[in-house]
Every structure is written in structure tokens, then in C-alpha cells.
Amino acid sequence: MIYNAPDRKGRFGPYGGAYIPEILVPELDALRVAFEESWQDAEFHVQYQDLLKTYVGRPTALTPANRLSEALGGGHILLKREDLCHTGAHKINNTIGQILLARKMGKTRIIAETGAGQHGVATATVAARFGLQCVVYMGVEDTERQALNVARMQLLGAEVRPVTSGSQTLKDATNEAIRDWVSNPTDTFYIIGSVVGPHPYPMMVRSFHNVIGEEVKRQLNELTDRNTPDVLVACVGGGSNAIGLFYPFINHPEVQMFGVEAAGEGLDGRHAATLTRGAMGVLHGAMSYLLQDDDGQIELAHSISAGLDYPGVGPEHSWLKDLGRVTYLTETDKNALAGVELLSRTEGIIPALETAHAIAALKKIVPQVAPDSIIVVNCSGRGDKDMQTIMDNL
Amino acid sequence: MNSRLSTRLLTLKSNGEKAMGIFLTSGFPSPEATNLLLDAIDEGGADFIELGMPHSDPLAEGLPIQHSSTCALKAGITMQDTLEAAAQFRQRSETPLLLMGYINPILRFGAVQFCERAAAAGVDGLIIPDLPPQEASLMRKHMQKYGLNLVFLVAPNTPTERMKEIDRLSDGFVYCVTITGLTGTGLAGRLDTINSYLKRAREMITHNPLLVGFGIRTYDNACDLSKHTDGFIVGSAVIKEVERLWACPELSMVERGQLVARFVRSLKYGPEK
């Protein structure tokens, strides 16, 4: 079977769709049309590729991690270095793409939600680059935990609005961003930060991160004479860096894929393992796996990594899980911290806590695969932003 | 579909009277208050009542209704509790009753089971703000099977053709949202724009009664905005009034109920002379 989700209604199997207030229906239609036109437009691609090259710093390196491979007792591990992107994570691939659409659609005001602040910074950055007004919603708890990123966004000229509703974290920041959009549909463009939300966002954000996997294909060919790796590994919160790496290989059944969720304090305690422990439902406009109680109220997630601390997940991951195409594992806060240390000591790369979940999972994955397997890990972000948390916990 | 709701709206229309719908969050300000408040609203002359099923993530709501939902959930209100409150109300009154809530708790309950239970409780219909018609075909089928009306919404930015389509799909009435915004948003300075949009909506929406809501706080608002519609809905203003009365320790529960009834009556008939 050839994988070609989503369908015209934005469905990945039973997942996805657009469960949104009527006010957003015409706006999402307009966005879908603008995206589809742009994606077919050679000129848009020239502009987008040029910015990825001259502003983001693409292509990012594919780094052989020999000492890490040795430490784990096998495999040829390669790191896709999204941590080298401008602003320190893959997030900017998407914000660049979306801000080009915002300009094309004549929008003058940009809004975004952020948890750890990485997507907020990536949005504030491109808004500054194009001189557009920018408002970032951030849970008040996160503004305190991630004060440095708040300062970065403000320096970039964005207004950071602390969100005091609900749980005061990413989930509620997303609610507030949607409420802002409902209230200002004509002039405002909502740059969503992951492969979540109503159609066309999951498909569109995937397209803008697709460059990650496409580069891997090319770079692998240069490094090894092969076009496909044996194994792909990426962390999954909303799941954008994972989809970006996986998507170009989905129709290559010989490529094994692992997504790694945050098990927080452990699966029996507080965690963010939405696919592993969640149930089907609707959050932020899409049908997907969710952390929810028996009455359909959304539960709070927990992870030491603010970027994985989300009770939902991209609808495409839900479908890939049900199809059995991607295997989803979990790693605890503790293992993630050990992952930070492992990559720092073996390769001289301090990863973000999100990324560290993928590094930690290699201990489970390497023994399962053939000893000479080529394993590409998405090194989705750098760890500078997490130094305080790392120092407090290591 | 002939229902308690459409019969009521039709009767009002033929009498040349505007319909008033009143929203209340189930379990707010306390689980015990729901029965008293439903009766007070009924007593105050509501032509139908929307009972809100609290949700942790109410996307389309402004602060008052968000706050009321958080409060009710903290007090432990469940979908089951709301259905029971509806069933008890139905034993006391024939006033049409709609449930208003977000799709996730309904799906979690089980769409079919929910419709079955709601119908058995004497509920007349549902308003689900995050279920636009293109996602609603299955839900609509279940609801029709149990004789429940599924009310859809239109907004100022809804294209004309889509308004006609929504009119075709909506049951009971079409909910005309005053502004592109959240529940409870102030309407000051926007009445002219809203009225010209309501006029357009009236031309497009011909099968269903048209009720206007979001941001209506006073009798004057209600009169102004009912010119081109069959009636109006008030939510946040009622929630705020309830909150205010429940913060007055000198008032007994009975007095609070009477004052809510008076407030509701004033929305339809103007302040008491």
C-alpha cells in the first residue's frame, strides 16, 4: 500500500480533520488554498529554499557519531544536526515557511503559542526578519521556567502574553492563540508550532519540515552510497521533527522508524506519553490520541522537557502508530538527563532535553537491530536553553 | 424536524414575539445551584435554555464562561451530572432544553450512548461549537435517530453560499454569532455592522428560525439585535450576574433565585418599572 495521507478533508485514517468554531472555517479554507498554491509554485520554492540556505543555515550536517555508536555497542549512528539551525532547533524550517504564506495572504499580524519558548523564538525571529507584528502566547508557568526565551522573544520585538487560564502551560497557550485568531481572523496569521491543530496545519507543517528527511537521503548517498538508512529515531511531543525526518522514508518499508515519547516520572506517574497511554479524542481542532480522563476532560502532561510536555500529538503519528509503521517508545526524565550526558561526553554535542529522549532510546534500539545498521537520529535542538534544568537535576 | 424546540419557536414567531434563549453552565457556581438556577431562568421567561456541559478546553468561550467551566469541573461536575440535571428539569418543566458543549467529552461518553441518554433525559437538542457541519455527518445521523436537534452556527465571515448550506443542515434554529470573537465580547460601537450582517443572514437563512448571540448583555442589546432575527441568546451576562449574586453573603438561595429570574425577565421585557 502506498501511503498518501491525508485525504482532502485532512484525515489520516480516522485522525485529523478540523474540529473548529465556524469563524475559523473560511480562514482555514483560505490557508489551505494559499498553501496548496504556494507549494505548486516554483517561485515560492526558490524564495523558501533561499531563506533556508542563507538565513537558517541549511543544509544541516549529517554527523557520524562514532564514539556514541561505540559506547552503545553497535550500529553506525548518524546525527541529523537540526541543532545547528538558526535559533537552535528545527522549528524555524516551519516558521519560515508559514511567514511566507502570511505575507502572500496579506496578513499583518502574527500569533503563535509556545511551551519551552523555542517555537516562540523561531516565530519572533521570522516576524522580525519580515517586519511583522508578533504576539506569542505562553503559559505563565512556562514564562517563569523559561525566562531566557521570554527575554529573547522580547528582544526580537515580540509581545509575550502570559496565559493564566487553565493549566497555564502549552495546552492553554494554544487555546489562547486559537481564541486570538477567532477574535482577529482577518488580519492575523496563526503560526502553529507542530504537526498538530486543524487541517491543513498537520500537512502543511509536515511539508515545511520535510527538508530534514530529504537532506538525509542526499547526505546518506554521499556518505555511504546508500539512499536509505536502516533505522530512524526522533523524539515526539507534537511530533514535527519526527515527521520531518520520517516522511520522505514512509514508503520505504525497509526503513524502521522509532518515535520516542516522554515518560516523565514514569508511565504510572505523571508523563507525556500520549500515543503510548492516551485515547482517541479531539484537542485543538484535530482528532488524535490524547491524555484525557474518563469524562473526556484533557489531562495535564508532564515532562522535564517543556517541548514534549503536551497532552496531544500530531494526528499523523496516531495513524502511523495504528498502521504499525512507526514504533513508539518512551523514556523517563531520568533517562533523558542521562542521554544529555551521554551525547555531551561522547560527541561533544549538548542536546536539548527533547532530543535527549531520542538519544536515551538508542540503548533499547541498538540491541534490537543488526550490528551494522545505519541509524539516523534527529538531533532536533541544542541544549543551551535547558542548562538551568540540567544543572538542577544532574 | 418537529420538536419541542421548533414548535416553541414557531409559536412565538406566529405571535410576533422574539424568542429568548438563556445559557447556564451546569454545576456553576456550585453543583447544588443548577436545579435552582434552571427553575429561576425558566421562571424568568426563557423560551429555551442552553445548559453548558463544562469542558477543560472551551475554545470559543470568553473569560466568564471559561471561568464557570473551570469552577464546575473543580467541583467535580461530570457529563452524567449534567444529563441528570436535564432529566430532573424535564420533570418540572416543558421549556425546551439544549445541551451546549464541546465534542471531546461527547465522543468520550460515546456519541450514540450520549444521544440516547440525552433524548431519554428530555433534552431537545445540542449545540457543539467545535463541530462544524463538515465534521458532523455521523453525529447528525445519531441525533436524528433520537429526535434531537443539532444547531449549527454562522458568523459574520461565513460566505453567503455556506450560510445557505448551514441553513439546510441545521435543526431547530441557526445560531447567528454577532461578531468574529468569543462569547461575552462587548458589542459597543459595532451594532450597525452587526445589523447589516444579520440582515444578510436573514436573507440567506430561510428554512430555520435565526437566533443571535454572543455579547448580548442588556434589554437594549436584545431589542437592537432582534430586529432582523427571531430572537436572541444570552450567556456570559447571566453567568456574571449569577457570580455577582453568589458573592453576596447576605442573600439567601431563594432570594438569589428570584433575582436571577428578575434579571432574565428584564432581558426580554426591559427593566421593571
Side-chain angles (χ1 to χ4, degrees), chain A residues 9 11 17-23 25-27 165 171 175 179 182-183 279 281-282 292-298, chain B residues 54-59 61 66 73 78-79 104-105 108 129-130 132-135 153 155 157 162 166 179-182:
Chain A
K9 287 180 80 182
R11 289 279 170 182
Y19 297 85
I20 30 103
E22 184 60 36
I23 292 167
V25 170
E27 307 309 319
S165 60
K171 168 178 86 79
N175 288 338
R179 288 183 185 124
V182 166
S183 306
V282 172
Q292 56 179 321
D293 68 15
D294 292 341
D295 220 31
Q297 311 300 347
I298 310 305
Chain B
H55 183 40
S56 55
D57 293 77
L59 273 186
E61 312 301 342
Q66 277 181 47
L73 289 175
T78 62
M79 298 289 279
N104 194 55
R108 187 69 169 160
D130 61 346
Q134 63 271 30
E135 297 291 359
L153 299 87
N157 64 341
R162 188 171 166 87
I166 288 173
I179 41 140
T180 52
L182 308 173

Side-chain angles (χ1 to χ4, degrees), chain A residues 217 220-230 372-374:
Chain A
K217 267 188 185 171
L220 204 61
N221 190 268
E222 286 161 17
L223 272 171
T224 67
D225 284 346
R226 284 177 50 176
N227 292 317
T228 55
D230 297 301
D372 59 347
S373 296
I374 293 179

